[in-house]
Every structure is written in structure tokens, then in C-alpha cells.
């Protein structure tokens, strides 16, 4: 193909992709006055599980046709990958969409990250059985000389912007709002700030088609080829362009510009980890810090809550967070992979959930607190530390032992700190006031005797490092949760309790998820009413949710919760420092 014909082909593809978005964009992304809504999440190719769930939920009749009347049904995305029957799932929902409209209802199919990945050619999670389901769409010429899986070319063709499934998916929204509830695949992050629902929907799908158009043009120019790894595309395209130049082909500035634009398209914030199909902050991060991100976005969209998938719940049951403002609906529908419980959320207008194979709908439950280790609920960690068998695994530092606590089949990593009686009281007081505020910043802490010495046993993440380790070893944090926001919570907490002992060794990180924890409170709870010395030059900027919770503290509650550890003067000083905190300037608008 000549360069001029390649340019024409790329232009035609770009026009086609834009036409697909503009001609087929939904008429609306928000509906009011809907009497009944049913939602489900993350099918991942589990057709049989989805079929059972939709039958039990009253969406399908005995002949597998729409039976929900004027109900609005919402799929939160991730229909494909990991399971063998994603094509059957797509075909079912495409048919039901038409049947729902004819009955006066609607089936909303939101784009998940796996829909986007399949559209963009990121096929790392496609199973051989999924590829094989598209083998009927291939010709012998497609497979000539290829070692790619059977069905690969048929699947890729079907997910092009003019293919059966690609065309349909590109007409589906990324986020919708029904009544006062927002629905999206992953969760609201900073990339959504300042956008209306309509802008978000259009910009997200435009970002997809921009990328697809660039890939098509680079394939026409032979700079990209079938089977190139998705993550390697910019690199291999540049290598091939350099090889063309080395072979004596005249340089084409348009190709270099195309590669630059491909990298820009890949960096689009809406397709990033902060975008609506990837961001896990609302599902995983500390509620006190994440509220400063979540609540302004809910207000921006005029929503009371958001329903999300993407992040499987810990026990395969639907749970709420943030006092019901977040509903986590990914319960691992693909039981062969996740061993979960297919679930349908009912909003009519009360909230309940129906699990496949179970006789009736049940109320939603709050997720509860998970601290250190955040794989185990906080109550179980506390029980293990308090009542379990403590085993010493080795020394860590002077007066500090690495231990584990075993109880009820759970083995909790912890440390034992040798402390005098007053220091023990302060450590316990720090833990208790943390839980009074619902922070989850101080690991569970109990008084114990180990190897004939008194002190405290304190929980730890499965893998953890200190701030000193981070600095000395040059480690780099990651995870979904804003470290700056977590540090502001730490500074505000230290101000509240008058902690004068914050050092790099007393700041802990979960080195998997980079959640921040604080320890070492031997020098906290003095009677001074000012800032800790280390914060005097740069006072904390507590977020809105921290300020709200601290503002609820009062003398009788402190005395009831901390009276065994602290005297009246220390309790009074907490209230004085609370007042100081509330007078400090509020934090600026938060971002992850």
C-alpha cells in the first residue's frame, strides 16, 4: 500500500470511528422517576451464572426473554475475559436490550475496563476458549501462516468499530445516573472532576475511538502488526520506523507524529488508573481520606450514592461503604474463577440484594473496618491478638519482637513491644481513639505478656516497611490510595492526641497497597494544647471528613472510651487540641 493510500485509509477510519460515536451515542445518560432498578456486575464470561441470576431476579422468563417490564436493568461492565462464554453473554444482552425497549424498560450496559481492553486490542486476559468462540468468523486466509490462537482474527474483526460487537460496545455509556444513584464500573476518581455526565460519556468513548483510529493507521503503515503485545505497541512501532529509515526509506514526519499521538492517546486521563473503569479508591481506600475525593464528585453529579463493580468484595457478598454512599457489587459472579455468589442489586426505592440460588432478597450490610493486615476484618485481628497463641518469630529492634498470633484458624502478623505501664496505656489509648473516630490508621493493639515481659502486641500488614526503609532503600510507593491525604490524616491525628514521637520508624506502609499506618505513642497524650513540635512550622490541613468526625468528640464519650488509660487533664487536653484542629484552614480540593 502506498503512503498516500495509507493516509486515505487512516482518514476514512477516523471518520468512521467518529461517526460511530456521534451517530450511536445514547440519547441520555440519566433518568428520573424510575420505579425499579436492578443491577449486576462483572460477569467475566460466566453465561450460566448470569442466566441463573437473571432468572432468579425476574429479568428473564422461562423462554429467556425479557420479563422485567418497565424496570431499568444495569450491567456494570466486564462482561468478558477470564470465562469461556463471553460471546454468549454479549449476544444475550444485545437481544435483551431491544426487548427491554419494546416493553418500556431499559437494559443499560456500561463499559468496563475489560470491554475497553478488548476494543483496544489488550487481550492478555482472553482465554483460549473465548478466542475459539469466534473461529467461525475467520477464513483460511486469515490463519495462513499464523501461530495465533484459533479465533484470534475473528475476535479482533468483531471488535473493530464497524464489527458486530465493537460497534455495539462503542455505543454504550461509561457512567449513568438513575434517580439519585450513579452507576459506573470502577469508581469516581480525579479524572472525572469538572465533567458533566454527558461530557464524561462522550469524552470517554472519543478517547477510545481516537486510540483505535491511530492503531489502524499504524497497522496500515506496517508499523504495527497482528499479535504485537498491547503494552509494547509504541516501542515496536518506533523500532520499525527506525528500521525503515535505516533501510533508506525517505522519512515521513506524519508517521513520527502518529506515534507521538498514540502515546498521548494512551495517556488520556479517562483511560488511566484514575478513570471511571479502573479507579479503586472508593472500593479500597481509607474512608476518612477517600471521602475528600468521593463526596465532592457525588455532589458534582447530584448523586446520593454510587454503585461500582471491578473490585471483588472480600466474601462474595454485596457491601456498602461510606455510610451507604458506595455499594460494591462485584461479588465474583464467575464462580469457577472467583468462587463468589452472583448477585443482583434491587433499588425499588429501598435497597436489597438477591443472590442466585437463594430464596429471597436480603438487606445490604456495611463492609466493616479492615486495617492491618487489611485482608482480615479488624474484629478478627483484635480477637487473635487478644486471645490467640502468640509465637515469637525473631527480634526486630531493641525491645521489639516479630511475632504472629493464631486464633480461629487465622494467623495474624504482629510485633511485640516491651513497654512500661504508662507507655502501654498510651499505646492502647491511641488505638481506642482511632477506633472511636473510625480511622483505621492505628493497627489493633492489645496489652499482653510475652516471654515474661509486659508490653503490647500490635498488628501488622502481611508485607510492610517503615518510612525509614523507604528512604534508605529508595523504595517507591504505589497503590490506589493517596499517600499525601493519608499523611494529612496522620498529622491531624498526631495533633489531636499531642503525639511528640513521630519518626520515620513509626510510619508504616503496607508494601502491597501502600496504605499508611502509625505506631509509637509513648510520648502522646500530654496536657499541652498546642501543635506537636514537628508540625509547628507546617500545621496539618485536615480534610472535611476528618474534621467532621473530630467535631463529634465530646467529654463523656472520651471518658467512657479512654478513662482507664488517661486522667482527666489528658482528656481535657484532647478536647482543647480538637478545637485547635477545627480552627486550622481546611484542606484544598483533594485529588488522588
Amino acid at each position: 500500500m502506498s503512503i498516500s493510500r495509507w493516509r486515505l485509509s487512516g482518514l476514512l477510519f477516523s471518520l468512521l470511528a467518529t461517526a460511530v460515536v456521534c451517530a450511536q451515542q445514547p440519547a441520555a445518560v440519566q433518568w428520573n422517576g424510575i420505579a425499579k432498578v436492578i443491577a449486576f456486575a462483572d460477569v467475566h464470561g460466566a453465561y450460566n451464572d448470569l442466566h441463573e441470576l437473571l432468572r432468579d431476579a425476574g429479568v428473564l422468563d422461562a423462554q429467556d426473554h425479557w420479563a422485567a417490564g418497565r424496570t431499568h436493568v444495569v450491567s456494570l461492565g466486564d462482561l468478558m475475559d477470564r470465562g469461556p462464554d463471553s460471546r454468549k453473554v454479549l449476544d444475550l444482552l444485545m437481544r435483551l436490550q431491544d426487548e427491554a425497549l419494546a416493553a418500556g424498560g431499559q437494559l443499560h450496559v456500561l463499559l468496563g475496563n475489560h470491554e475497553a481492553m478488548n476494543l483496544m486490542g489488550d487481550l492478555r486476559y482472553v482465554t483460549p476458549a473465548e478466542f475459539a468462540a469466534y473461529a467461525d468468523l475467520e477464513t483460511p486466509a486469515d490463519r495462513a501462516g499464523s501461530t495465533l490462537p484459533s479465533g484470534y482474527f475473528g475476535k479482533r474483526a468483531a471488535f473493530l468499530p464497524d464489527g458486530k460487537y465493537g460497534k455495539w460496545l462503542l455505543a454504550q455509556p461509561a457512567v449513568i445516573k438513575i434517580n439519585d444513584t450513579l452507576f459506573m464500573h470502577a469508581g469516581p476518581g480525579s479524572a472525572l472532576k469538572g465533567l458533566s455526565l454527558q461530557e464524561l460519556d462522550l469524552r470517554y468513548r472519543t478517547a477510545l475511538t481516537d486510540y483505535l483510529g491511530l492503531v489502524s493507521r499504524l497497522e496500515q503503515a506496517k508499523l504495527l502488526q497482528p499479535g504485537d503485545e498491547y503494552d509494547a505497541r509504541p516501542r515496536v512501532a518506533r523500532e520499525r520506523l527506525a528500521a525503515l529509515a535505516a533501510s533508506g526509506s525517505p522519512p515521513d514526519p506524519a508517521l513520527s507524529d502518529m506515534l507521538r499521538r498514540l502515546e498521548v492517546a494512551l495517556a488520556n486521563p479517562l483511560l488511566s488508573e484514575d478513570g471511571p473503569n479502573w479507579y479503586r479508591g472508593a472500593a479500597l481506600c481509607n474512608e476518612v481520606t477517600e471521602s475528600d475525593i468521593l463526596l465532592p464528585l457525588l455532589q458534582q453529579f447530584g448523586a446520593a450514592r454510587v454503585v461500582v463493580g471491578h473490585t471483588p468484595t472480600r466474601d462474595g457478598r454485596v457491601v456498602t461503604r461510606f455510610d451507604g454512599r458506595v455499594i460494591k457489587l462485584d461479588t465474583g459472579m464467575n464462580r469457577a474463577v472467583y468462587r463468589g455468589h452472583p448477585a443482583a442489586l434491587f433499588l425499588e426505592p429501598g435497597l436489597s440484594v438477591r443472590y442466585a440460588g437463594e430464596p429471597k432478597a436480603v438487606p445490604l450490610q456495611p463492609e466493616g473496618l479492615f486495617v492491618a493486615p487489611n485482608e482480615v476484618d479488624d474484629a478478627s485481628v483484635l480477637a487473635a491478638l487478644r486471645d490467640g497463641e502468640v509465637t515469637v518469630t525473631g527480634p526486630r529492634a531493641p525491645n521489639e519482637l516479630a511475632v504472629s498470633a493464631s486464633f480461629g484458624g487465622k494467623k495474624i502478623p504482629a510485633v511485640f513491644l516491651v513497654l512500661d505501664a504508662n507507655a502501654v496505656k498510651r499505646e492502647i489509648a491511641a488505638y481506642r481513639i482511632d477506633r472511636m473516630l473510625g480511622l483505621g490508621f492505628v493497627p489493633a493493639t492489645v496489652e499482653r505478656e510475652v516471654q515474661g515481659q509486659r508490653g503490647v502486641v500490635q498488628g501488622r500488614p502481611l508485607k510492610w516497611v517503615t518510612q525509614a526503609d523507604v528512604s534508605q532503600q529508595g523504595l517507591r510507593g504505589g497503590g490506589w490510595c493517596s499517600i499525601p491525604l493519608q499523611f494529612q490524616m496522620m498529622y491531624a491525628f498526631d495533633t489531636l492526641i499531642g503525639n511528640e514521637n513521630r519518626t520515620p520508624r513509626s510510619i508504616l506502609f503496607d508494601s502491597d497497597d501502600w496504605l499508611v499506618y502509625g505506631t509509637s505513642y509513648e510520648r502522646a497524650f500530654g496536657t499541652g494544647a498546642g501543635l506537636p513540635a514537628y508540625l509547628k512550622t507546617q500545621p496539618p490541613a485536615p480534610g472535611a471528613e476528618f474534621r467532621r468526625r473530630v467535631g463529634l468528640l465530646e467529654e463523656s464519650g472520651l471518658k467512657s472510651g479512654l478513662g482507664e488509660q488517661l486522667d482527666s487533664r489528658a482528656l481535657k487536653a484532647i478536647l482543647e487540641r480538637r478545637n485547635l484542629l477545627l480552627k486550622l484552614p481546611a484542606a484544598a480540593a483533594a485529588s488522588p
Side-chain angles (χ1 to χ4, degrees), residues 248-372:
S249 296
D252 187 344
L255 292 177
S256 295
D257 181 64
M258 203 70 64
L259 285 172
R260 180 192 61 80
R261 291 170 59 196
L262 180 71
E263 292 168 341
V264 170
L266 279 171
N268 188 303
L270 291 177
L271 301 180
S272 75
E273 291 185 347
D274 288 335
N277 285 345
W278 285 101
Y279 185 66
R280 298 184 192 268
L284 293 177
C285 297
N286 186 296
E287 292 190 20
V288 176
T289 55
E290 189 66 21
S291 287
D292 296 336
I293 297 170
L294 170 71
L295 299 187
L297 289 170
L298 289 181
Q299 184 178 25
Q300 172 183 311
F301 293 119
R305 69 187 63 85
V306 60
V307 183
V308 300
H310 190 53
T311 303
T313 59
R314 300 172 192 269
D315 61 357
R317 297 281 162 168
V318 178
V319 293
T320 65
R321 303 190 78 213
F322 302 88
D323 295 325
R325 294 183 181 93
V326 172
I327 299 174
K328 293 171 64 174
L329 189 52
D330 181 359
T331 55
M333 184 178 300
N334 188 327
R335 287 185 270 205
V337 175
Y338 295 104
R339 301 180 182 178
H341 303 83
L345 175 70
F346 287 73
L347 303 92
E348 48 182 349
L351 299 173
S352 62
V353 61
R354 177 77 182 267
Y355 297 97
E358 297 188 9
K360 61 182 181 179
V362 296
L364 278 69
Q365 299 295 325
E367 185 176 54
L369 197 60
F370 288 77
V371 186

Side-chain angles (χ1 to χ4, degrees), residues 384-400:
L385 300 183
R386 183 186 59 222
D387 304 321
E389 179 183 354
V390 174
T391 302
V392 176
T393 58
R396 280 197 53 85
N399 296 320
E400 181 178 335

Side-chain angles (χ1 to χ4, degrees), residues 532-546:
Y534 87 101
L535 293 172
K536 288 185 182 297
T537 57
Q538 190 170 355
E545 180 62 14
F546 187 96

Side-chain angles (χ1 to χ4, degrees), residues 286-289 291 323 369 429-442 489-490 492-497 525 545-554 557-558 561-562 574-575 578 581-582:
N286 186 296
E287 292 190 20
V288 176
T289 55
S291 287
D323 295 325
L369 197 60
Y431 160 68
R432 289 192 178 178
I433 196 169
D434 176 284
R435 294 307 187 269
M436 289 170 63
L437 294 168
L439 302 183
F441 169 67
V442 178
M489 180 176 68
M490 176 181 70
F493 182 71
D494 282 351
T495 297
L496 179 68
I497 67 172
F525 299 104
E545 180 62 14
F546 187 96
R547 296 164 69 89
R548 184 189 72 81
R549 296 190 184 197
V550 166
L552 297 175
L553 290 176
E554 42 81 34
L558 288 175
L562 305 176
I574 292 175
L575 294 174
R578 175 205 63 185
L581 269 173
L582 295 178

Side-chain angles (χ1 to χ4, degrees), residues 159-176:
F159 282 83
L160 290 174
D162 60 346
K164 176 181 178 180
Y165 302 109
K167 183 177 181 180
W168 178 68
L169 287 172
L170 285 170
Q172 308 309 310
V175 56
I176 63 173

